[in-house]
Amino acid sequence: MSRENKDGGFDAGEGDGVGGEIADRAAAVGEAASDLAPTRRLLLATLGAGTAGAALGKFGVPGIGAVVAGSVEVPPPAAGASPPEHHDHSDIEALVTEEQVTHRATRDGAWHDPATWGGSVPDDFARAQIPTDVTVTLAGGSTARMKTLRVDGALAVHPEKDSHLRTETLVTMPDSVLQLGRESRPIARDSEARVTFVDLGPIDEDWDPERLSTGLLALGEVRVHGAEKTTWSDLASAPTPGDETLELPEAPTNWDEGDRLVVAGMDPMANEDEEVFVTGVSGSRVELDRALRHDHSPPKDDLSAYVQNLDRNVRFVSENEAIPRRGHTMFMSRRVAVHYAGLYGLGRTDKSYAFTNPIHGEPPEDVEPNPRARYALHFHKTGIDTAEPHTVRGVAVRGSPGWGVVNHHSYAEVTDSVTYDVFGAGFVAEAGNERGSFERNFALRSEGSGDLPDSRDFDMGDDDPGDVDDFGHGGHGFWFQGPALTIEDNVAAGHRHHGFVFWNRPLIDRELRPGEEIHDRRGTVANFPLDHVDEERMPHLVESDHVYDGKVSSAYVPIESFRNNTTFASGGGLDISRHQFGWDHQRFEDYSVVEGFTAFNVGPLVRSWGRVAAPDHGNAEGGNNGLSIRYSHNLRVEDARLVWGRGREATKRVVDDEQAEKHPESLDSVGINRNTPYPFHVVFEGLDVEGWKVGAKPLPRGITIYRDSRFANDVNVSVEDGHPHPSRRIKLENCTFERGGEGHLNLGLDEPEDRSADEVFDDDGGVVVDGRPVYYEQQRPGHVPIPDQKTVKQLGAEDLKELAGTDANNLVGKTNRQLYDQYGIAVKGRPMPDDAVDDERISGGALASPPPDPPREVWFEAEDTTVRAPFETKPDPNASGDSYVVAGGVDSSHEPPSEGLLTYEFEVQGGEYEVYARAHRPSDDDDSFWVRMDDGDWIRWGGIGGDRDYDWERVPEPETDDWSDHRRFSLSEGSHTFTVGFREDGAQLDKLLVTSTGRTPIGYGE
């Protein structure tokens, strides 16, 4: 049997068809015909169809009652199911028309038997056909180097004899069967089935204008079953220089002498992968043909080193690996299984530059043809509504200029497979609506384009050449355009950029319909059927105006599962972008979950011109990011472990002195990063973040929670001003800070010239540590925010006047305390309390004193009182406590009601208090309540709540008739009562807060 040689080529030998004994095996065809069923009737029986009358239906799906591959009953497509979208079959059929056929099989039989072909076996440059109802068996030997082979009937190879099919283009038609082994009888371990896509010259565009040829174009059923093999493994101990053996946790399955292994390198900026060959296996110990040269130790003892096995005994190979002459595979039927096969040197789409056949946007100029969709192993628009998925198991893809294993508008389960030296991305879900899984796969080494992930995205009105929605080119292990996938127990290593990417704005690879448009950040085109949306998790989405023709944008669909995935030795860990962007909510239990993610030895991104892209470069698209969240909402990250490790020394190696001096940020690294000002609402629990320049940068908007986490970095948490927003709240609960030589929790405000008046004086939600507010240094009562006229000019005199209600000149030179007492403004909304304390964890600010008894703030669920008619309690998953209070069918617009009041009793410290309510208004005509504190005057509280969802509002100061002016209640220490009466029909009250802390509540509140 031939094997892949150490130089990446293939040695001639048995089964090669080029010299050796296999060339003499043609005489044994009669034996092969007797060993393997030569008729279509018997072939279908071996597939499990059972009878000669069991026919394969449209798109290769068995008819009703048919049974295939292991006696699994497969029903036809569901009634009303759309057929798969794909290239027009006519483009493919035009390559192999009946008129072009030079050799046609006339009966069932062995390939090398002339009688099978009516007297003449196909020769070099032949255009052969196996017609409907004819089965041809390839059993031993090699075919001639054919131009095309069209299969309308069935083609099988003998599972226990070496075989070699050589053709430039192999087309299987819709009712055909291609079988290279079967699940119950795979290609024997000591045999080989090889398909070589031969090079007969450049693609002839007169014959093939779409450049589809040279490869496997499968419209029919395909069954590929090689011998089972352990495809990759972690190692029981990390190899070090000089080691000549590997120790696995358990004995590998079917590792043979001569198998090619790759031990994954650990350095993020140097390719230290080591290709070696097996010389022997004894239990879990594997002997190698030479000593290892590199240290493969991870930065922590409980992290692992890894090895891949690239050898398979079913092989699809390109005769010529020059990119324009390579083969590719494109599966377009509903029934495909590819198990334990190797795909070597396949794929023609070159991710080093944008593809040249876009549907939207302008192709790059003055480049060679580079059509998309020519990948190594590619499910192409086979539909997502089938009852059974395609299956890929134990596959090895080596050396593709584009992508490795691709699910495109299909339903596929990809398990225990490996990619190695794939330029753009190893494993890909291409368009957004894909279903299925990627489980226990390992993507190793991608050179990548050096371009940022977003660099080729298309936006309406964008006509720059190359901005064509070409993704997954930067050098990634796994690229997921769609979220509806199970992604568990995968490993990515040795990639130029992020090991894993969710880029969830869908790829729209069809012409737009009237009214549709493509936005570069939001999912504006409905592409995912509601039949596959979990209505309990996304009830408002299902009922929203985002639904069109029974579909919704996959950008809004939650991630099905992302669990226990690992990245190392790459220019980034995990990048999450365009996930539910524009669809933020606070139902934390419904958020997409990133669980158990590990990243270590993460290094910088080196651009194509040699410069390092710092972590924040291009909206946090740069390297040295363990986890980056961009243009995304509604995420929970649980039990993530992020260790910079060898990334620190690697970064220093590649950032030269000139760049370090001009751009010191090139040496930075961030464990958890985000772009500004777009992400909303992320909860982090159980983090372990170690060794980074900055451990975490909280989101500039929405809620960021760090809970039960450990930080051990130069700066552990860096709160940057950036684009502060009133809805921002940063909470740290039960977090441990270690190291922190440059600070644990660092607070920083930009200088006034970099901010607007609103950004200086509006409450941005603030930071809370273990329930206690944190205050910026600039909030101290004696700080002077506007020291001179220059600052007035920088902040804007008119803006200051609108905020303070007085001429801006009156604000110059006054302290926070004076500004707050006279005009109700101060840095970040309120001066620091006099009893705030310094805390060793906080740099650039102070911490509020522990809560007194009685407290300074009190929370109430609206229903936590006696609810009397006309008020009633109603359920709502978007409400705090899953319910709210509403009065229906009543009106008391002109005076407070005398009955049906809601009363809330509480005790507080003495001081100035404000009252907030979380409410929702069904319309602007139903947006008010009557309220009062103790026995004070009734206040008409109008304009309350959000019109799309619940929102927090403060009780206004009615005398000014200005809803932006808020009432302060002077309360003595002791007991008080706050009362709510109905005013307008339908206003929904969810939660109340009485506070003197100055904290603006957001989300569900505390």
Side-chain angles (χ1 to χ4, degrees):
M1 185 172 69
S2 65
R3 79 170 190 191
E4 205 173 352
N5 64 42
K6 297 181 184 181
D7 296 323
F10 292 87
D11 300 322
E14 187 177 2
D16 221 38
V18 182
E21 297 179 9
I22 198 63
D24 299 325
R25 291 193 176 184
V29 170
E31 177 190 354
S34 63
D35 285 352
L36 184 67
T39 67
R40 182 173 177 81
R41 174 191 297 267
L42 291 178
L43 176 61
L44 288 172
T46 66
L47 284 170
T51 68
L56 292 174
K58 191 175 184 181
F59 310 118
V61 180
I64 296 176
V67 179
V68 299
S71 300
V72 178
E73 185 171 352
V74 181
S82 301
E85 303 176 68
H86 44 61
H87 279 283
D88 189 336
H89 280 187
S90 63
D91 294 332
I92 296 170
E93 293 174 1
L95 304 175
V96 289
T97 61
E98 300 270 1
E99 292 76 15
Q100 299 177 58
V101 171
T102 61
H103 296 72
R104 181 175 287 112
T106 57
R107 69 175 193 182
D108 297 344
W111 182 284
H112 292 292
D113 184 353
T116 301
W117 301 95
S120 177
V121 176
D123 53 11
D124 287 347
F125 299 97
R127 296 173 182 262
Q129 180 190 19
I130 301 174
T132 302
D133 297 328
V134 173
T135 295
V136 174
T137 302
L138 180 60
S142 172
T143 69
R145 300 171 72 249
M146 296 175 288
K147 177 70 174 176
T148 63
L149 172 60
R150 168 175 170 161
V151 181
D152 294 88
L155 173 63
V157 302
H158 195 291
E160 295 170 0
K161 296 183 180 293
D162 290 348
S163 60
H164 190 179
L165 176 68
R166 298 189 297 172
T167 184
E168 184 184 73
T169 302
L170 171 58
V171 176
T172 70
M173 303 304 285
D175 291 320
S176 67
V177 177
L178 174 64
Q179 178 182 291
L180 284 72
R182 58 184 186 271
E183 192 163 19
S184 61
R185 193 182 180 189
I187 301 299
R189 180 180 176 185
D190 59 353
S191 299
E192 177 185 275
R194 182 185 292 237
V195 177
T196 296
F197 302 114
V198 299
D199 178 16
L200 299 179
I203 292 174
D204 179 1
E205 292 191 351
D206 291 335
W207 167 64
D208 179 15
E210 298 297 323
R211 301 182 69 87
L212 286 161
S213 60
T214 310
L216 169 59
L217 306 174
L219 306 178
E221 182 165 349
V222 177
R223 296 290 168 195
V224 177
H225 294 279
E228 183 180 354
K229 183 185 290 282
T230 297
T231 58
W232 65 275
S233 177
D234 58 346
L235 295 172
S237 59
T240 56
D243 286 356
E244 296 181 353
T245 62
L246 300 175
E247 193 69 40
L248 275 63
E250 58 187 25
T253 300
N254 291 342
W255 282 20
D256 296 316
E257 182 179 353
D259 277 3
R260 179 192 292 267
L261 307 181
V262 186
V263 183
M266 286 287 169
D267 194 298
M269 294 310 299
N271 184 349
E272 295 184 352
D273 301 337
E274 299 198 62
E275 298 187 30
V276 291
F277 289 85
V278 175
T279 59
V281 179
S282 176
S284 61
R285 174 166 291 188
V286 180
E287 297 175 0
L288 309 178
D289 68 324
R290 65 173 183 271
L292 298 175
R293 295 183 295 110
H294 298 294
D295 186 356
H296 297 269
S297 301
K300 296 291 182 180
D301 291 342
D302 58 341
L303 298 172
S304 296
Y306 298 86
V307 63
Q308 291 186 343
N309 187 314
L310 297 179
D311 264 287
R312 306 291 184 270
N313 68 338
V314 176
R315 298 168 178 261
F316 293 84
V317 301
S318 295
E319 186 176 70
N320 185 345
E321 293 193 12
I323 292 175
R325 311 287 270 270
R326 288 167 168 249
H328 69 106
T329 68
M330 185 182 289
F331 299 103
M332 290 167 279
S333 73
R334 296 270 189 168
R335 292 291 294 168
V336 176
V338 183
H339 296 181
Y340 298 101
L343 298 98
Y344 307 117
L346 300 189
R348 273 202 313 277
T349 301
D350 185 350
K351 287 295 178 177
S352 66
Y353 63 102
F355 53 67
T356 55
N357 60 339
I359 295 177
H360 308 288
E362 295 293 326
E365 299 171 342
D366 302 322
V367 295
E368 293 297 315
N370 185 29
R372 57 197 169 93
R374 312 295 185 261
Y375 308 123
L377 197 165
H378 177 201
F379 295 104
H380 184 67
K381 299 185 178 182
T382 67
I384 67 171
D385 51 3
T386 55
E388 296 291 331
H390 305 294
T391 57
V392 174
R393 185 179 308 144
V395 160
V397 175
R398 175 189 172 95
S400 169
W403 291 340
V405 180
V406 182
N407 178 351
H408 182 197
H409 289 321
S410 299
Y411 178 22
E413 294 179 350
V414 182
T415 57
D416 286 306
S417 294
V418 300
T419 64
Y420 177 58
D421 192 23
V422 172
F423 184 90
F427 297 87
V428 175
E430 183 174 356
N433 66 350
E434 289 77 21
R435 294 177 61 216
S437 63
F438 291 86
E439 297 185 70
R440 206 182 179 280
N441 304 291
F442 189 174
L444 176 60
R445 192 61 53 190
S446 58
E447 182 179 344
S449 63
D451 294 333
L452 300 177
D454 301 356
S455 63
R456 301 179 189 173
D457 66 341
F458 172 77
D459 193 6
M460 298 295 286
D462 181 358
D463 57 359
D464 292 336
D467 291 350
V468 293
D469 268 3
D470 183 11
F471 301 113
H473 50 76
H476 310 283
F478 296 79
W479 181 278
F480 304 116
Q481 208 80 15
L485 299 158
T486 297
I487 302 157
E488 298 180 356
D489 302 311
N490 301 286
V491 177
H495 301 287
R496 186 168 191 160
H497 210 358
H498 305 96
F500 293 84
V501 177
F502 280 99
W503 209 99
N504 287 154
R505 192 268 281 159
L507 168 71
I508 307 303
D509 49 4
R510 59 167 173 77
E511 295 294 340
L512 295 175
R513 301 183 179 102
E516 291 182 332
E517 64 176 19
I518 295 174
H519 190 280
D520 66 337
R521 298 171 185 170
R522 296 190 303 275
T524 54
V525 178
N527 68 317
F528 195 81
L530 288 178
D531 291 345
H532 301 301
V533 173
D534 186 341
E535 294 190 26
E536 290 187 4
R537 291 182 71 183
M538 301 295 286
H540 289 272
L541 177 61
V542 172
E543 299 168 3
S544 74
D545 56 7
H546 291 287
V547 176
Y548 175 80
D549 194 24
K551 296 181 181 180
V552 69
S553 172
S554 57
Y556 301 133
V557 175
I559 294 171
E560 183 69 22
S561 177
F562 187 86
R563 178 179 302 176
N564 297 337
N565 299 290
T566 299
T567 296
F568 65 92
S570 299
L574 167 63
D575 182 47
I576 301 176
S577 182
R578 279 75 174 173
H579 175 68
Q580 296 192 4
F581 186 57
W583 190 256
D584 58 292
H585 62 84
Q586 290 112 37
R587 298 185 302 279
F588 300 132
E589 66 277 8
D590 293 339
Y591 282 7
S592 294
V593 179
V594 171
E595 183 177 355
F597 176 68
T598 299
F600 62 91
N601 289 359
V602 172
L605 168 65
V606 178
R607 304 299 301 277
S608 56
W609 53 88
R611 288 295 189 184
V612 167
D616 288 329
H617 183 72
N619 287 315
E621 293 179 79
N624 270 328
N625 282 313
L627 167 60
S628 186
I629 298 172
R630 306 182 299 112
Y631 305 110
S632 294
H633 301 330
N634 313 333
L635 289 163
R636 295 209 317 268
V637 179
E638 300 177 354
D639 301 324
R641 188 176 188 191
L642 309 173
V643 182
W644 197 20
R646 291 173 65 177
R648 185 182 292 267
E649 63 185 61
T651 303
K652 291 179 179 178
R653 278 202 320 266
V654 299
V655 177
D656 59 38
D657 293 341
E658 180 184 358
Q659 185 174 10
E661 183 177 355
K662 292 182 178 179
H663 301 284
E665 69 277 6
S666 301
L667 292 168
D668 289 348
S669 67
V670 184
I672 300 174
N673 206 358
R674 77 294 179 269
N675 69 326
T676 55
Y678 299 103
F680 273 61
H681 307 327
V682 181
V683 180
F684 300 94
E685 297 181 290
L687 301 177
D688 191 343
V689 185
E690 179 176 343
W692 306 80
K693 295 283 285 184
V694 176
K697 292 184 178 182
L699 276 58
R701 297 190 183 192
I703 299 168
T704 307
I705 298 175
Y706 303 103
R707 181 180 293 134
D708 302 326
S709 297
R710 170 182 174 265
F711 296 91
N713 311 276
D714 295 355
V715 173
N716 283 315
V717 179
S718 177
V719 179
E720 299 172 359
D721 201 23
H723 297 267
H725 193 274
S727 69
R728 181 170 77 167
R729 173 63 48 79
I730 301 163
K731 299 173 63 175
L732 295 96
E733 302 173 356
N734 193 33
C735 290
T736 300
F737 291 148
E738 301 173 12
R739 289 183 57 187
E742 299 177 25
H744 292 306
L745 175 60
N746 283 12
L747 307 177
L749 292 183
D750 293 340
E751 294 301 318
E753 61 264 24
D754 297 323
R755 294 185 291 159
S756 68
D758 285 343
E759 289 173 337
V760 171
F761 293 108
D762 276 2
D763 181 0
D764 70 352
V767 183
V768 180
V769 174
D770 294 331
R772 297 163 63 184
V774 174
Y775 297 90
Y776 293 94
E777 193 70 28
Q778 291 88 339
Q779 288 182 266
R780 291 193 182 276
H783 175 71
V784 178
I786 308 174
D788 48 37
Q789 289 295 329
K790 178 182 177 182
T791 308
V792 170
K793 184 177 180 180
Q794 289 167 343
L795 296 177
E798 290 302 315
D799 292 337
L800 288 170
K801 181 178 180 179
E802 184 175 349
L803 278 174
T806 186
D807 189 282
N809 292 322
N810 296 331
L811 310 178
V812 175
K814 287 185 166 58
T815 65
N816 274 322
R817 174 59 64 195
Q818 291 170 327
L819 291 172
Y820 190 73
D821 290 342
Q822 296 178 35
Y823 308 110
I825 67 170
V827 171
K828 294 302 178 187
R830 168 179 306 265
M832 182 188 298
D834 293 332
D835 60 354
V837 296
D838 292 333
D839 190 286
E840 64 179 6
R841 295 169 294 179
I842 299 167
S843 301
L847 184 64
S849 295
D853 184 21
R856 289 198 178 99
E857 67 178 24
V858 182
W859 299 86
F860 298 99
E861 295 288 350
E863 63 272 18
D864 286 349
T865 186
T866 301
V867 179
R868 299 183 178 91
F871 281 113
E872 59 180 325
T873 301
K874 291 190 174 183
D876 185 350
N878 292 296
S880 175
D882 295 326
S883 59
Y884 64 90
V885 174
V886 63
V890 294
D891 185 276
S892 185
S893 298
H894 300 295
E895 60 181 4
S898 58
E899 56 185 17
L901 303 176
L902 306 174
T903 58
Y904 302 91
E905 297 179 355
F906 58 94
E907 291 188 11
V908 291
Q909 292 281 316
E912 296 286 313
Y913 283 80
E914 295 173 318
V915 178
Y916 291 82
R918 186 176 191 261
H920 170 57
R921 58 177 182 266
S923 75
D924 290 342
D925 295 327
D926 304 291
D927 66 348
S928 66
F929 295 96
W930 292 100
V931 297
R932 70 174 176 179
M933 183 69 72
D934 296 328
D935 293 325
D937 295 335
W938 284 97
I939 299 172
R940 179 173 58 88
W941 190 359
I944 188 172
D947 54 3
R948 183 173 71 87
D949 209 336
Y950 295 93
D951 203 359
W952 290 96
E953 301 283 355
R954 279 182 283 187
V955 173
E957 183 61 70
E959 286 80 1
T960 65
D961 201 28
D962 181 356
W963 299 122
S964 64
D965 194 3
H966 304 106
R967 169 65 65 93
R968 296 177 192 166
F969 298 95
S970 294
L971 302 182
S972 60
E973 181 172 334
S975 299
H976 298 273
T977 301
F978 187 73
T979 304
V980 180
F982 62 86
R983 185 171 183 270
E984 290 178 309
D985 173 58
Q988 301 170 8
L989 182 63
D990 178 38
K991 198 167 187 175
L992 292 164
L993 167 64
V994 181
T995 180
S996 67
T997 67
R999 285 194 291 170
T1000 300
I1002 61 174
Y1004 289 127
E1006 300 304 310

